[in-house]
Amino acid sequence: MSSVSLQPIVCCLGDPLAGNPMQLLMERAFAAAGLDWRFLSFEVPGSHLEDAVKGMRALGFQGAAFTSPHQVAVIPFLDRLTDEATAIGAVNCAFVSDGQWVGDNTDGPAFSQALRRHLDPTDAHVVVLGAGGTARAVASELARSSIASLTLVNRTAERAERLAGELKERCQIDARASAWSGNWEVPAETTLLVQATTVGWCEPDERPAVDLSACSETLVVADVIFNPPETRLIQEARRRGLTTMSGVEMMAGQVALAYERWTGSEPTGQVIRETLEEYLEV
Ligand SMILES: NC(=O)c1ccc[n+]([C@@H]2O[C@H](COP(=O)([O-])OP(=O)(O)OC[C@H]3O[C@@H](n4cnc5c(N)ncnc54)[C@H](OP(=O)(O)O)[C@@H]3O)[C@@H](O)[C@H]2O)c1
C-alpha cells in the first residue's frame, strides 16, 4: 500500500472519451483488490499527445491506456514496443518497465481469447470489416491463427489493401482486400465475420452495409462494438440463428489484460465484466 500522498496513477487518453467506461472499470478493479491506485481520464487532442506523454513520465505515472485516435500516433513517444504491439502496429496500453515506457496491445489477444469460446479459427475463412486500429489488432491476431483466408473490407479501399499486403507478407497467409460498395455480400463459404468499424458505436439503429443472405448457418458473427452491447448486426445474426459474439467479451478481456500489465496481478474474480455489464445495463 502506498502513502496517501503517493498513490500510483494510471490514466486513459483519447479524444473524445465520452462513453468510455475504462475509469469506472479500473477504479472498481483496484478497490476489489484493495489497491490504493488511482485511474484518471484525459481528453487530449492529437496536437497535445507528445506533451501528455512527457507529462506522464515526469509525474511518474505507472502507465496509460490509449484509445482513438492515439493508438498509432503515440508510438514515436514511447521507448519500445512489445512483440504484440509491433505485429499489430498500434498501442492500446503502455506500462513502465525498468523506467521505460513500453507500448503494448491487448485488443488482439482479448479478441482471440473471447473468440475461442465460440470458434476455433483454424482453417476458417474470415471476413473483417474495417482497417482501422481495432481491425488491425483483430486481423493480425487471426492471421497468426492458421486461418484459411482473410478478406478485409473497408470504406477506404487503400487502407484495406495496405493491411492485407502487410499481413500476407508477414504471416504468409491468403489475405486480400475487397472494395466496399453498396451492400457487400458476405460469401457463402465465410466461417467468421468480424465487424471492426465504428459503425453502430452508441447508435443502436446503425448497421454496416452487409448482406448476410448467402451465408451458411454455421457462420459466426463477432462485433467489436460494446455499446450498445447488442448491435443491429448482432441482433440480425441472432435472428438468423447464427452464433454471435458481442464486443462486451473483448472489452472485458482487454481491460483485464491491461490491468495485469500495470499491476502485475490478475483482477479479482469477474469484477471487470460485472462492472461493464452494470455500466451497459445488461
Ligand atoms: N470491444 C473492444 O474491446 C474494443 C476495443 C477497441 C475498439 N473497439 C471499438 O472498435 C471501433 C473501431 O475503433 P478503431 O480504433 O479501429 O477506430 P479507427 O481506427 O478510427 O477506425 C475506424 C474504422 O471504421 C471505419 N468506418 C468509420 N465510419 C464508417 C462508415 N460510416 N462506414 C463504413 N466504415 C466506417 C473506418 O473506415 P475508413 O478507413 O474508411 O475511415 C475504419 O476502418 C470503435 O467503435 C471502438 O469503440 C472495441
Side-chain angles (χ1 to χ4, degrees), residues 7-13 22-23 26-27 30 35-42 56 59-66 92-96 101 258-259 261-263:
Q7 292 147 329
I9 297 174
V10 190
C11 70
C12 181
L13 265 62
M22 191 87 174
Q23 180 163 343
M26 281 297 159
E27 283 177 346
F30 290 152
L35 286 178
D36 189 20
W37 286 44
R38 289 292 172 270
F39 194 94
L40 303 171
S41 300
F42 297 112
M56 293 191 297
L59 295 169
F61 283 23
Q62 303 294 312
F66 298 96
N92 78 334
C93 79
F95 57 90
V96 182
W101 275 70
Y259 176 98
R261 304 293 189 270
W262 294 323
T263 66

Side-chain angles (χ1 to χ4, degrees), residues 68 71 107 130-135 154-156 159 180 196-199 201 224-226 247-248 250-252 254:
S68 189
Q71 295 102 317
D107 279 337
T134 309
N154 195 47
R155 182 179 58 178
T156 308
R159 287 182 94 185
W180 196 343
T197 74
T198 48
V199 176
W201 170 247
V224 301
I225 300 288
F226 63 88
V248 174
M250 175 180 166
M251 177 66 182
Q254 59 106 338

